[in-house]
């Protein structure tokens, strides 16, 4: 059996007295997507921030390609170079053009020449239909376009694992679809991904495994069909019912 | 810029997929509204002019008809004498300009360094953080005149060999010490206004702490603090006049020498005018920069 890209072992995280994640264990094989669903405050985003080392875990360990990235002597910058993360609020750099947003990390982190970085960036923009936006500043783009640029920015450094944190929560339904199709393309190309989302479209169309997170614990996990169509836990059923009522299924 | 969605461009009026208006002409209702607005604007302008004449004219009348006006205008507005001493004052003003240039470069470098130290979190810099905080607290809280006197008369009094007694250098030093404290705080507040998510985005792309500062945080911070920094520059220019108390022959000192010779205060007025000739355009420029930066921040996406 090949080694999983990501292996999370019994991770616990709390903010003060409030336990946000408890006994979280799962692994993500290469070229697969694991989707975390659950209501707001269930700990999805915290989990992704912990994997990206933006937050420190309180117990357990996280392995990336078999290497313990939560070890005391782990090189944070080196770990982050292997991880891409896309945020709910895009977080594009507003003072830089789209093209410069994308080429910054390849040039400064990987040491790629400006010409090559731009060439690669244009290839990615072409592929996702954003070629004509390259010389614009982010605030001239729609939310969906901004989020797709943010995705391109994080895959431009060819990460081993892409973390997508509620990337459609700030978008209206029409724009959700364009971002969704971008993520689906990435999946087809074999990108390994972990997603936290409210959007069941991701769970249905992208996930190999769906985990239902409830009050910081993984209550149920399985294939999309298992979880979305035949949930076993009462909490999962209730959550899906509420999502359904909100018209997001 | 090239694709402004939904806006018809001049060149393709033939195709006109967005030319909703067609043969539109304003209706009588709209024409009446426009005429009414025009009339109202004319009336407002007339009121503004009239009230300006009344207020300013009234004040001028009070001044000119006051019993002391004659002697005041003789001592302060003796223009012929003013023109006579003008070259000396302009020569002195050269010192103010040079001092401003040198000081603003030093203040920029030191102010940025202190702001960076104060916003850093590295444990190795802890003692420097404390020193920087104390420094800013102390020199922001002392009148600059006192700093000038303490530096200008204190340092030579130490009589350490090799230390300068040059009042110009000591004066510049005092100005730099004071303004570094102001500017460091302006830059620091600018750094703090950049949302942590920007730094998180930069760090998660693999950029180091320093690279995140250099390419993401500082460029945005400087855009925000350009107007207050220009404000400080205007203040710095006029505060260079204070070094005259150490005996530096700047514009103020030159005016003082001239007026003590003739017991006429016109040289002071001339010096004031020279300062204004530089500071007013700079202030207008600052206003414009501020307005632009507000516009930029309020700019929203097309779609």
């Amino acid at each position: 059996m090949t080694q999983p890209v990501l292996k999370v072992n019994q991770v616990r995280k709390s903010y003060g007295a409030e336990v946000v994640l408890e006994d979280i264990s799962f692994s993500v094989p290469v070229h697969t997507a694991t989707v975390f669903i659950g209501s707001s405050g269930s700990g999805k985003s915290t989990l992704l921030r912990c994997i990206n080392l933006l937050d420190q875990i309180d117990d357990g360990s996280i392995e990336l390609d078999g290497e313990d990235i939560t070890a005391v002597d782990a090189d944070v910058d080196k770990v982050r170079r292997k991880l891409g993360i896309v945020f709910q609020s895009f977080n594009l750099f507003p003072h830089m053009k789209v093209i410069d947003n994308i080429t910054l990390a390849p040039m400064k982190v990987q040491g790629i020449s400006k010409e090559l970085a731009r060439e690669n960036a244009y290839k990615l923009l072409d592929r996702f239909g954003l070629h004509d936006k390259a010389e614009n500043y982010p605030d001239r783009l729609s939310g969906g376009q901004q989020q797709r640029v943010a995705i391109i920015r994080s895959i431009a450094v060819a990460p081993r694992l892409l973390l997508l944190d509620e990337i459609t929560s700030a978008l209206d339904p029409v724009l959700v679809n364009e971002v969704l199709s971008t993520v689906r393309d990435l999946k087809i190309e074999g990108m390994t991904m972990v997603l936290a989302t409210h959007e069941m479209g991701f769970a249905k169309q992208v996930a190999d495994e769906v985990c239902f997170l409830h009050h910081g614990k993984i209550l149920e996990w399985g294939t999309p069909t298992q979880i979305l169509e035949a949930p076993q836990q009462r909490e999962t059923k209730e959550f899906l019912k509420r999502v359904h009522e909100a018209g997001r299924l | 810029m090239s694709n402004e969605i939904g806006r018809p461009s001049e060149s393709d009026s033939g195709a006109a997929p967005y030319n909703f208006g067609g043969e539109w002409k304003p209706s009588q209702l709209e024409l009446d509204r426009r005429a009414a607005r025009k009339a109202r604007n004319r009336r407002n302008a007339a009121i503004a002019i009239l009230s300006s004449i009344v207020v300013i004219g009234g004040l001028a009348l009070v001044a000119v008809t006051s019993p002391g006006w004659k002697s005041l205008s003789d001592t302060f507005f003796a223009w012929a004498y003013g023109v006579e001493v003008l070259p000396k004052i302009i020569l002195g003003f050269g010192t103010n300009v040079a001092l401003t240039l040198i000081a603003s470069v030093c203040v920029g470098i030191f102010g940025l360094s202190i702001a960076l130290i104060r916003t850093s979190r590295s444990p190795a810099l802890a003692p420097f953080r404390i020193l920087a905080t104390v420094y800013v607290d102390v020199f922001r809280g002392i009148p600059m005149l006192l700093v000038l006197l303490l530096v200008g008369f204190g340092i030579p009094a130490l009589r350490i060999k090799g230390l300068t007694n040059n009042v110009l250098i000591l004066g510049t030093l005092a100005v730099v010490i004071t303004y570094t404290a102001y500017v460091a705080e302006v830059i620091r507040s600018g750094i703090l206004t950049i949302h942590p998510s920007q730094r998180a985005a930069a760090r998660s792309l693999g950029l180091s702490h320093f690279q995140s500062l250099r390419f993401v945080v500082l460029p945005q911070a400087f855009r925000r603090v350009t107007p207050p920094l220009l404000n400080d520059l205007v203040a710095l220019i006029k505060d260079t006049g204070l070094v005259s108390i150490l005996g530096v022959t700047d514009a103020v000192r030159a005016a003082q020498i001239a007026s003590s010779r003739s017991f006429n205060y016109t040289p002071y007025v001339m010096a004031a005018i020279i300062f204004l000739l530089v500071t007013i355009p700079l202030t207008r420029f600052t206003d414009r920069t501020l307005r632009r930066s507000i516009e930029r921040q309020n700019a929203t996406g097309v779609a």
Side-chain angles (χ1 to χ4, degrees), chain A residues 86-141:
Chain A
V86 183
F87 304 91
Q88 173 177 348
S89 49
F90 325 144
N91 297 354
L92 292 174
F93 306 133
H95 61 298
M96 291 182 182
K97 289 175 179 174
V98 164
I99 185 79
D100 299 322
N101 261 280
I102 298 171
T103 56
L104 179 67
M107 280 163 57
K108 302 301 172 192
V109 178
Q110 301 180 314
I112 292 172
S113 75
K114 188 177 178 184
E115 291 70 31
L116 189 59
R118 285 180 73 93
E119 197 185 312
N120 291 339
Y122 268 110
K123 270 186 206 151
L124 288 169
L125 286 168
D126 262 343
R127 212 168 79 205
F128 296 109
L130 289 166
H131 189 103
D132 57 332
K133 304 292 177 196
E135 298 295 327
N136 285 6
Y137 284 92
D139 67 356
R140 308 303 292 175
L141 272 57

